[in-house]
Amino acid sequence: MQGVEFIYFPQPNVDYSKCEKWVTACGRPTTGKHAFVVKNVNRNTYICTKHFVGGKGPTAEYPDPIPAVVSNAELEAFKRRKRRKSSSSGDSTFDSSVPTTDNRYGYIVAKAALYSEADLDKSIHNMVGHALTKAVEETGHPYLEDSNTPHRSVSYETIVEAYRYFTQLPEVTSASIRAEENENIISVQSMWSQRDIDRKEKTSFGRTYVLDAAKNVVVSCSSPQEINNQVWNVASPSGKYRAILRKQKDKKGDDKQYLEIWNAVQKVKTINVEGLEKHGKIISDDGHFGSFQWSRAEGHVLYVAEKKRPKASSFFDSKPFSESTESKEKETARGDEFLYYQNWGEQITEQSSTVLCVMDVETGTVSVLESVPENVSPGQAVWAPDDAGVVFIGWIHEPYRLGLKHCVQRRSFVYHLDIQKNKIEKISEDGRAVRFPRFSPDDRWLVYLDTLDSGPHNMCSRLMMCEWERRHDGLKPILDIVNSAKEEEFPGLFTWSVPVHTWLSDSIHLVLNTFWGSRSEVVVVNTQTKSVVRVRPDLASWSSTVLDIHGNHVVIGCSSPNQAPYLIFGTLVPSDLGSSQWLRLDNKSEVITSFEWQIIQHSPSSDRVHPKYGNLDYESILYLPKGSSVNGSKPPLILFPHGGPHSVCDGSFAFQPAVYCHCGFAVLLVNFRGSLGFGQDSILSILGRIGDQDVKDCKSAADEVIEKGLADGTKVVVCGGSHGGFLATHLIGQYPDYFKAACARNPVTNLTSMVGTTDIISWVFTEVGETFSYDTQVDATILSKMWDASPVRCIKQVKTPVLLQVGLKDLRVPPSQSLEYWKMLKANGVPVRCLTYPDSNHPLSEVEVEADGLINSILWFCQHLTSQ
Ligand SMILES: CSCC[C@H](NC=O)C(=O)N[C@@H](Cc1ccccc1)C(=O)O
């Protein structure tokens, strides 16, 4: 392995003079806050091999380190001096018994290190960079190697190899900032997720960066450490304690949860929360119900759990009913063994009714807050000022629950529960759906997001605010719905999440994430002037997402289609955002050299202009294999529309298109009208027009790319999941000669049969332009609209071979949608192959399933691109 290695530093108690010599030689400051002197050296001190002439560590000729940052001229001078002096130091030469360091990752890293951040970053950079370069060098673009006979040049081994290279790129999942006692010293704890195809799972690992905010430098960075069983890990406001919720299998193999309290040096206690039998499972950070928060006084932890269910027993269970068992007996429900508990749909099947719980850290006792109305499932709870109560979101679950995943419009309220007075009040307006309540650092202001409580499953949000003490005087929108926006203007707030800490220290500015065209942007909102300003921490990355805020410090995840995620730390100056300071925590992650990408703007042709909303432009992201037009051979094209339809391809690093493009395909991700980030009119424009407007937007985007000569119009395939699969199956029905192959993951194929089976019935009504209410019945007129919008309508035209990928546990688009389509294709003599994944639900995102689906799709495309 090329690159940097780390070796142990000589220990003062073993060889004081060598230690002292090395300390001086490596040229670190010996005074000031970050002084490096002999007394700082301990068993965890390492030195990077780049500190030695030759860059490979101590040699007989150059046994001692030199400062890391030396110019070539300085290095030559050092060598000359050394030659003149000859080797007269008397020091022992390199001791081969130096203990080896951790090399689990194929390169050697140190735990607490004496090295420059750049050194470590270079080693990672090299590792990933070499891997990818090697992949292209050794395998070429599998498809492009011989574009006339691609089926011969591509083997699954080649694709597997390419797949493996991409699994080396971790994705950041969260980060939190903590200030040490010395306020300039900041630590950033980051969590990452990485595919491990051999273990068939995603592994999580943590890395901690220690920064000197005043000097804007990274002081040290821990090696990655795998952390797989933490459900929550949250620091107390002072940073003195941590509450960790851990899941662990018991001897029977059942998942158990334990709540642990840690101080700076040790675990203080473990509470077997399930053993207390107060509630069901504590809910994780699921983006819907879950929250886990210390009280300001640090005496309590607030969390959300599934409600305890009464024990059900059979009618024939003949336990004697005695005095001593009376109270227990009352808790059991005879004949309820098979009672149906409705859940919250796709991927939220463990939640039915939730409860708010408070754990007393001192005593380890748990109280379930009882005053939440019966028809409400609470979640996203935060402590109210003075810890006197809690503020939470309550979703109304009567008359029945509609799936919550990817659906922001579910009827809900912001509630305040005064714990002492046991009094509950509604804060938000009626007729709305609300999310993410957040108090300002001075506890004066409360903000949250709201949308209509009906209509499309995602849309433009309002940012609402009230002054807490005067909350009864009303709420004001800080950001309102934006119907349409000109180029570069703010298109409205479109977001799936708001960081737990979202305010800057002045309690005036908020930092939020939003989709802005085909991009994820971080914006600073001034709640007084209502201005919205984008902050772009790094011009080298296209998309950014704020992960945590502390004071005026922010940590932001950055990436681009061809750049793996990395972190940037920033110190914002709210009055002059342009002078904010940025610091890259990881060295620039590898730019994937096998492809390039660009944004393409589209204006619908005059026949496609919306009758009500007029001209609405849209965009797409085109990935192009590098060198694909060499010798005039154009790459085949994968048209890849997103699902939703109210979602967006935001230009952050995306695994699937990256693998496709690395394998030699041009990939076109289309943000057709109806996507997030282009104003509310764009969202509304598609309602009643799915299967038509969106289909034409995608087809014409592909036409434009082909007309520009960027891809081969005779080699076009299409793929997509869910609504993207709906578009793929529509496209092959409406343009039977255009596509050589199609791949659809859990596609919506027939709305008339899906309306009774999906967890989000409302979607079917809304998207065909009908109003949904819980008691609406489908009649012949509505059914015919649904039929007209369905891909099965054009089944007779389909000629394109179809690969179906089906999660048998999908609640969103039930497998019957794919299987119904499969039967029709079979009956009509169209080549079809169907992969069913027994334990998968809608996204097919389990590592093994994702890999199987991805590789099969590439092989399917290659097979049918050549068999004409
Ligand atoms: C009744 S199925 C509707 C299709 C589904 N829409 C919402 O869930 C869909 O297309 N799902 C997308 C997931 C998604 C949806 C919204 C935003 C981001 C992702 C898919 O599986 O790709």
Side-chain angles (χ1 to χ4, degrees):
M1 177 68 215
Q2 283 187 333
V4 182
E5 296 180 355
F6 295 95
I7 56 172
Y8 279 119
F9 210 87
Q11 295 299 293
N13 55 347
V14 177
D15 188 341
Y16 188 89
S17 65
K18 183 172 173 185
C19 176
E20 188 176 43
K21 190 171 185 191
W22 279 34
V23 164
T24 316
C26 66
R28 290 228 144 193
T30 50
T31 54
K33 255 182 246 147
H34 304 294
F36 178 63
V37 289
V38 172
K39 74 171 187 303
N40 302 134
V41 175
N42 60 34
R43 277 184 301 139
N44 291 323
T45 309
Y46 299 77
I47 185 163
C48 150
T49 52
K50 293 259 154 136
H51 272 273
F52 295 82
V53 177
K56 291 187 178 142
T59 58
E61 196 179 2
Y62 304 110
D64 301 321
I66 54 172
V69 188
V70 289
S71 66
N72 282 343
E74 283 169 314
L75 188 61
E76 282 316 309
F78 177 80
K79 285 181 180 171
R80 277 197 304 276
R81 272 203 310 276
K82 188 78 194 164
R83 262 178 243 125
R84 275 201 303 274
K85 270 178 82 183
S86 81
S87 57
S88 59
S89 72
D91 274 343
S92 65
T93 54
F94 179 55
D95 178 0
S96 61
S97 69
V98 173
T100 52
T101 47
D102 182 353
N103 69 352
R104 278 171 303 161
Y105 295 87
Y107 60 101
I108 300 179
V109 288
K111 283 183 188 121
L114 165 68
Y115 55 81
S116 71
E117 180 66 9
D119 285 343
L120 179 59
D121 289 339
K122 265 186 238 151
S123 75
I124 293 169
H125 178 90
N126 286 343
M127 181 183 76
V128 178
H130 289 156
L132 293 177
T133 316
K134 191 169 153 264
V136 181
E137 273 168 9
E138 285 178 2
T139 63
H141 293 297
Y143 187 86
L144 291 175
E145 246 174 59
D146 177 357
S147 54
N148 294 320
T149 53
H151 60 299
R152 267 189 242 143
S153 62
V154 71
S155 67
Y156 70 84
E157 286 93 344
T158 312
I159 304 167
V160 166
E161 186 78 350
Y163 172 86
R164 276 190 188 276
Y165 284 119
F166 279 93
T167 62
Q168 291 181 22
L169 308 177
E171 287 158 26
V172 64
T173 50
S174 66
S176 60
I177 307 174
R178 199 169 58 127
E180 302 295 330
E181 262 166 37
N182 170 349
E183 273 183 18
N184 285 331
I185 299 296
I186 303 281
S187 73
V188 176
Q189 298 201 336
S190 61
M191 288 297 292
W192 301 75
S193 161
Q194 191 169 5
R195 292 164 176 84
D196 188 331
I197 188 66
D198 300 292
R199 274 166 52 179
K200 300 187 175 121
E201 61 184 16
K202 279 195 178 147
T203 51
S204 299
F205 66 84
R207 278 189 93 193
T208 302
Y209 307 82
V210 178
L211 327 173
D212 184 329
K215 292 189 183 143
N216 207 33
V217 292
V218 177
V219 178
S220 73
C221 161
S222 72
S223 61
Q225 237 183 354
E226 191 166 316
I227 303 168
N228 277 332
N229 60 353
Q230 289 184 6
V231 182
W232 289 98
N233 180 339
V234 177
S236 66
S238 69
K240 280 190 192 150
Y241 302 102
R242 276 194 170 268
I244 295 180
L245 181 70
R246 210 178 285 284
K247 67 168 186 227
Q248 214 166 306
K249 294 230 180 287
D250 67 6
K251 283 182 187 150
K252 286 193 219 146
D254 296 334
D255 272 336
K256 294 280 168 218
Q257 292 183 326
Y258 298 93
L259 207 157
E260 301 167 356
I261 304 295
W262 292 73
N263 65 20
V265 286
Q266 67 207 40
K267 192 195 285 182
V268 180
K269 62 172 71 172
T270 299
I271 298 129
N272 175 357
V273 264
E274 283 187 88
L276 300 175
E277 294 197 0
K278 293 277 188 169
H279 52 68
K281 284 267 182 292
I282 297 179
I283 296 165
S284 64
D285 193 0
D286 62 350
H288 301 281
F289 292 103
S291 62
F292 197 81
Q293 205 184 52
W294 284 85
S295 59
R296 287 163 180 75
E298 307 196 340
H300 297 87
V301 175
L302 169 68
Y303 58 81
V304 185
E306 180 59 18
K307 193 178 196 168
K308 186 183 168 197
R309 288 190 189 164
K311 282 196 186 90
S313 61
S314 147
F315 289 119
F316 306 102
D317 191 347
S318 52
K319 270 199 198 126
F321 189 81
S322 70
E323 275 300 296
S324 58
T325 58
E326 186 177 4
S327 59
K328 239 184 168 180
E329 193 71 16
K330 275 183 186 157
E331 279 179 35
T332 70
R334 294 259 172 169
D336 280 358
E337 272 179 298
F338 304 104
L339 192 66
Y340 173 55
Y341 286 91
Q342 200 206 355
N343 61 46
W344 284 94
E346 172 62 23
Q347 292 167 67
I348 323 186
T349 52
E350 299 294 307
Q351 271 81 70
S352 176
S353 296
T354 51
V355 283
L356 300 177
C357 309
V358 174
M359 195 198 70
D360 184 316
V361 174
E362 185 62 39
T363 61
T365 52
V366 169
S367 321
V368 174
L369 304 182
E370 301 288 356
S371 317
V372 177
E374 270 297 307
N375 64 340
V376 166
S377 283
Q380 297 184 12
V382 296
W383 288 97
D386 303 324
D387 297 339
V390 295
V391 165
F392 62 93
I393 302 298
W395 284 268
I396 310 298
H397 56 224
E398 292 295 342
Y400 57 85
R401 294 160 185 79
L402 286 162
L404 204 51
K405 189 86 195 165
H406 300 311
C407 295
V408 302
Q409 85 285 32
R410 300 290 174 233
R411 187 163 184 239
S412 44
F413 292 89
V414 178
Y415 287 96
H416 170 229
L417 169 61
D418 185 322
I419 298 179
Q420 269 121 48
K421 296 189 189 136
N422 207 16
K423 222 180 93 193
I424 192 149
E425 60 179 331
K426 273 183 193 165
I427 307 290
S428 58
E429 297 164 353
D430 208 351
R432 312 296 300 181
V434 291
R435 298 176 289 157
F436 311 123
R438 303 286 185 257
F439 280 100
S440 58
D442 63 4
D443 279 345
R444 186 167 165 201
W445 308 102
L446 172 71
V447 288
Y448 62 89
L449 302 189
D450 100 335
T451 63
L452 274 179
D453 69 353
S454 56
H457 65 90
N458 200 352
M459 56 187 125
C460 189
S461 294
R462 295 192 303 176
L463 174 67
M464 303 297 290
M465 185 164 94
C466 69
E467 189 170 358
W468 184 243
E469 288 304 327
R470 302 173 58 192
R471 57 192 177 274
H472 306 293
D473 298 348
L475 299 151
K476 59 175 174 179
I478 299 299
L479 298 181
D480 216 332
I481 306 292
V482 176
N483 293 322
S484 65
K486 290 199 198 80
E487 217 179 309
E488 294 300 305
E489 278 177 5
F490 176 56
L493 192 59
F494 293 90
T495 188
W496 289 116
S497 65
V498 170
V500 173
H501 308 111
T502 193
W503 290 85
L504 293 182
S505 60
D506 59 6
S507 294
I508 296 172
H509 294 86
L510 295 166
V511 187
L512 298 172
N513 293 312
T514 190
F515 299 119
W516 189 319
S518 307
R519 199 164 181 164
S520 278
E521 298 267 21
V522 175
V523 291
V524 176
V525 179
N526 182 324
T527 57
Q528 291 177 347
T529 63
K530 304 188 177 180
S531 71
V532 181
V533 178
R534 277 182 278 197
V535 284
R536 297 216 173 126
D538 183 6
L539 294 177
S541 92
W542 182 252
S543 274
S544 41
T545 306
V546 64
L547 300 165
D548 193 26
I549 295 151
H550 183 101
N552 286 346
H553 300 308
V554 293
V555 61
I556 291 178
C558 298
S559 74
S560 305
N562 64 345
Q563 181 159 43
Y566 60 94
L567 291 174
I568 290 206
F569 174 81
T571 305
L572 299 180
V573 183
S575 56
D576 177 16
L577 287 166
S579 60
S580 302
Q581 244 189 358
W582 301 105
L583 173 64
R584 178 170 231 133
L585 298 187
D586 310 279
N587 193 3
K588 215 184 221 175
S589 60
E590 181 65 20
V591 174
I592 294 142
T593 52
S594 58
F595 64 85
E596 291 160 339
W597 63 277
Q598 55 183 271
I599 300 284
I600 302 182
Q601 316 279 340
H602 307 281
S603 285
S605 49
S606 54
D607 54 321
R608 285 158 53 222
V609 170
H610 194 280
K612 179 168 174 198
Y613 299 107
N615 274 321
L616 296 166
D617 290 349
Y618 64 102
E619 293 179 349
S620 55
I621 306 182
L622 176 66
Y623 291 51
L624 279 176
K626 253 199 199 146
S628 57
S629 54
V630 177
N631 303 330
S633 79
K634 293 172 194 160
L637 177 67
I638 302 180
L639 176 60
F640 192 168
H642 61 71
H646 310 296
S647 171
V648 65
C649 299
D650 67 350
S652 47
F653 178 75
F655 187 78
Q656 192 175 347
V659 176
Y660 282 150
C661 196
H662 185 77
C663 288
F665 292 89
V667 187
L668 187 64
L669 307 179
V670 187
N671 287 324
F672 46 85
R673 285 171 286 174
S675 302
L676 305 178
F678 295 85
Q680 182 78 339
D681 285 355
S682 179
I683 300 280
L684 300 177
S685 76
I686 194 182
L687 307 183
R689 290 166 175 263
I690 57 162
D692 178 37
Q693 179 178 297
D694 45 1
V695 172
K696 290 182 177 139
D697 283 1
C698 292
K699 162 70 167 45
S700 111
D703 285 342
E704 284 180 47
V705 166
I706 293 159
E707 275 156 29
K708 282 185 183 160
L710 297 168
D712 185 343
T714 67
K715 291 192 170 75
V716 187
V717 298
V718 61
C719 82
S722 196
H723 185 85
F726 167 91
L727 290 172
T729 47
H730 253 303
L731 282 156
I732 57 171
Q734 295 186 32
Y735 306 99
D737 296 313
Y738 198 84
F739 300 96
K740 297 289 177 287
C743 171
R745 169 193 43 96
N746 292 319
V748 174
T749 61
N750 184 352
L751 301 180
T752 65
S753 52
M754 198 179 73
V755 68
T757 52
T758 171
D759 67 328
I760 54 169
I761 307 164
S762 51
W763 185 96
V764 189
F765 282 84
T766 307
E767 298 299 333
V768 298
E770 290 290 321
T771 306
F772 170 80
S773 66
Y774 286 86
D775 59 354
T776 312
Q777 282 185 310
V778 269
D779 58 21
T781 321
I782 298 178
L783 274 176
S784 101
K785 274 193 178 184
M786 291 176 180
W787 175 260
D788 288 345
S790 296
V792 284
R793 171 176 64 85
C794 345
I795 194 77
K796 293 281 175 202
Q797 281 96 272
V798 175
K799 294 191 260 183
T800 310
V802 180
L803 174 66
L804 292 165
Q805 302 180 338
V806 190
L808 296 183
K809 293 204 171 137
D810 188 348
L811 298 180
R812 179 74 23 123
V813 180
S816 52
Q817 288 290 298
S818 294
L819 302 179
E820 185 181 330
Y821 196 68
W822 177 84
K823 283 184 213 158
M824 293 191 189
L825 292 174
K826 292 291 279 183
N828 285 288
V830 181
V832 57
R833 176 170 145 88
C834 183
L835 304 169
T836 57
Y837 301 100
D839 297 321
S840 300
N841 46 17
H842 192 54
L844 302 189
S845 56
E846 301 85 353
V847 171
E848 194 184 9
V849 171
E850 176 197 60
D852 183 80
L854 181 53
I855 294 168
N856 261 299
S857 67
I858 298 174
L859 292 171
W860 185 255
F861 295 151
C862 291
Q863 180 189 338
H864 293 286
L865 278 166
T866 55
S867 61
Q868 328 159 26

